[in-house]
Amino acid sequence: LGIVQTAMAAKELTIWVFSGQEAAKYGEALQRIIAEFEKQHPGFTVKLATTPYTEYLDRIVTAVRGGRGPDIIQNDVIWTPMLANEGFLLNLDKYWAKAPFKEEDFFEASIRTCKWNGSLYGVPQMDGHWGLIFYNKDLMAEAGFDPDFPPITYWDEFVEVAKALTKPEKGQYGYAVMGAKDEGISVTWGGWYATTGAKSWLNEDKTKAIVNSPNGVRAAKFKTDLALVHKVSPPGVVNWDQWDNRSLFETGKLAMYMVGTWEVDILKEEAPDINFSFTYLPRPRDGVISACYGGWNWSININSKYPDVAWDFIEMVTTVDNQDAISSLPPALIKASKRRFSTWEKGYIVLDQILGSIPRPVHPRYPEMSRVMQIGIQSILMGEKTAQEAMDWVAEEINKILSRP
């Protein structure tokens, strides 16, 4: 009996998540679910490991390529098609066919990110959309604007309010443009692009880039003009990232910045004295309510020894109650998000934008496309190219990426 018990205890289900998932109330909820899962699966213990976002993808690729890695991978929606295309993820079609949830239970954009070549390689966990403008209510009021519903619905209004809130002599700025060479450039450009009514970076069959369309150029010019022309952004814009934005906002020196719902919990914890709120991402006068979609999916490593048990865990965390409990972003299950945001002031804004958001290209080479976009936008910010020249170059480089076998 002792030998049997030892053998049973040796079965370990491993789960990798990004650093932050294990934090605060969401991490506590995940640990409760893990404890319940272990009770329901005697002989198995669950090992949870975390990795900072900037190192996470490399760690996944290195481990799985070497025949190792965890059983379950929590992966960014922009990675799922790439990992699936590389053969790193288990095809989940047979599991989805018998699952207690269906595709229509999730936001449409989240399902799109789980599919590659017509098959499902993930289960949506939570949705992030880069499209909320967080703002300091006190600074809005001081400048004479309604702190609950400031007049920033449209691009032109947003510019004027940002100008009014910019006071360089006090070290105060109206809006922070993210210009550091990381994913922040791509998602913020993608947010402005989505509000023009655009639906994709690529044409319908994903063979050609359309980022240099009039709307693509328009979005690039608007994003960069905020720093270069309207001068509402802090200096050193090409080094400015989302964490710099938060830091300046928490000190009361930044009036507005673009981010997602996860920021609510962070600001309440780190800067409880800041009186803040959020609203829709401003749009052109002929634009739409939209944003750049993001989020996280659950997938199973192709190397997993226990794929059926791994799927059991994914099913357990994919209920309305559990998904709501562990998701720092809006839960991907529609019912879970509707329940959560029905209790939020301005929760309807979050739901409106999730419904209208567009994902970055669901393509295995998206990370390469994003790096090209980052270089292109930086070239505008550094005065090397006009918006048209930069986006023409970005489209040309993306087309090279797409044309490779």
Side-chain angles (χ1 to χ4, degrees), residues 222-261:
F222 181 74
K223 172 183 167 70
T224 55
D225 275 359
L226 287 166
L228 301 178
V229 177
H230 306 304
K231 302 187 184 302
V232 299
S233 190
V237 64
V238 294
N239 300 308
W240 209 255
D241 62 27
Q242 61 174 301
W243 295 280
D244 295 319
N245 290 357
R246 180 190 298 154
S247 178
L248 198 61
F249 189 80
E250 289 179 345
T251 63
K253 296 297 185 180
L254 178 65
M256 299 184 289
Y257 66 120
M258 187 197 304
V259 72
T261 56

Side-chain angles (χ1 to χ4, degrees), residues 132-254:
L132 294 175
I133 294 294
F134 276 66
Y135 64 89
N136 184 310
K137 295 178 71 173
D138 293 336
L139 293 181
M140 278 288 181
E142 287 173 14
F145 301 113
D146 183 342
D148 295 313
F149 298 97
I152 55 175
T153 299
Y154 300 107
W155 283 6
D156 57 320
E157 294 177 327
F158 181 72
V159 168
E160 293 308 311
V161 171
K163 285 180 178 179
L165 290 163
T166 298
K167 300 176 181 179
E169 69 280 5
K170 294 183 177 181
Q172 178 182 311
Y173 294 89
Y175 176 77
V177 173
M178 279 193 276
K181 194 165 68 174
D182 63 19
E183 189 64 18
I185 282 183
S186 298
V187 293
T188 52
W189 171 84
W192 298 123
Y193 181 53
T195 66
T196 67
K199 296 299 181 185
S200 177
W201 293 30
L202 310 177
N203 64 355
E204 192 169 344
D205 63 1
K206 300 180 182 179
T207 59
K208 184 180 179 182
I210 57 173
V211 296
N212 61 334
S213 64
N215 280 336
V217 176
R218 190 182 182 191
K221 189 173 188 309
F222 181 74
K223 172 183 167 70
T224 55
D225 275 359
L226 287 166
L228 301 178
V229 177
H230 306 304
K231 302 187 184 302
V232 299
S233 190
V237 64
V238 294
N239 300 308
W240 209 255
D241 62 27
Q242 61 174 301
W243 295 280
D244 295 319
N245 290 357
R246 180 190 298 154
S247 178
L248 198 61
F249 189 80
E250 289 179 345
T251 63
K253 296 297 185 180
L254 178 65

Side-chain angles (χ1 to χ4, degrees), residues 295-374:
W296 293 83
N297 300 324
W298 295 112
S299 297
I300 298 178
N301 185 349
I302 194 68
N303 301 322
S304 175
K305 295 179 181 179
Y306 311 112
D308 292 347
V309 178
W311 180 261
D312 285 349
F313 183 85
I314 291 174
E315 282 197 357
M316 178 174 277
V317 292
T318 311
T319 65
V320 170
D321 287 345
N322 285 345
Q323 197 176 84
D324 186 20
I326 69 170
S327 297
S328 56
L329 307 183
L333 281 167
I334 296 171
K335 286 184 179 179
S337 260
K338 285 186 173 179
R339 186 175 74 180
R340 174 182 292 186
F341 294 109
S342 67
T343 66
W344 275 40
E345 182 182 2
K346 297 186 178 180
Y348 61 90
I349 291 175
V350 179
L351 294 173
D352 284 350
Q353 290 202 152
I354 294 175
L355 289 169
S357 64
I358 64 169
R360 286 155 282 175
V362 182
H363 193 283
R365 292 176 181 164
Y366 170 73
E368 296 176 67
M369 299 180 205
S370 179
R371 284 192 288 273
V372 167
M373 180 62 74
Q374 294 162 32

Side-chain angles (χ1 to χ4, degrees), residues 2-23:
I3 295 174
V4 172
Q5 288 176 332
T6 301
M8 289 176 66
K11 292 182 179 179
E12 189 173 77
L13 188 77
T14 54
I15 303 171
W16 283 5
V17 299
F18 73 98
S19 295
Q21 170 62 71
E22 82 286 5

Side-chain angles (χ1 to χ4, degrees), residues 242-303:
Q242 61 174 301
W243 295 280
D244 295 319
N245 290 357
R246 180 190 298 154
S247 178
L248 198 61
F249 189 80
E250 289 179 345
T251 63
K253 296 297 185 180
L254 178 65
M256 299 184 289
Y257 66 120
M258 187 197 304
V259 72
T261 56
W262 59 88
E263 206 78 346
V264 170
D265 288 329
I266 294 171
L267 290 175
K268 285 181 177 179
E269 180 178 341
E270 293 185 358
D273 295 331
I274 293 289
N275 185 18
F276 71 91
S277 187
F278 60 81
T279 190
Y280 293 103
L281 185 64
R283 59 188 184 273
R285 292 279 175 174
D286 59 350
V288 299
I289 293 173
S290 191
C292 183
Y293 178 84
W296 293 83
N297 300 324
W298 295 112
S299 297
I300 298 178
N301 185 349
I302 194 68
N303 301 322

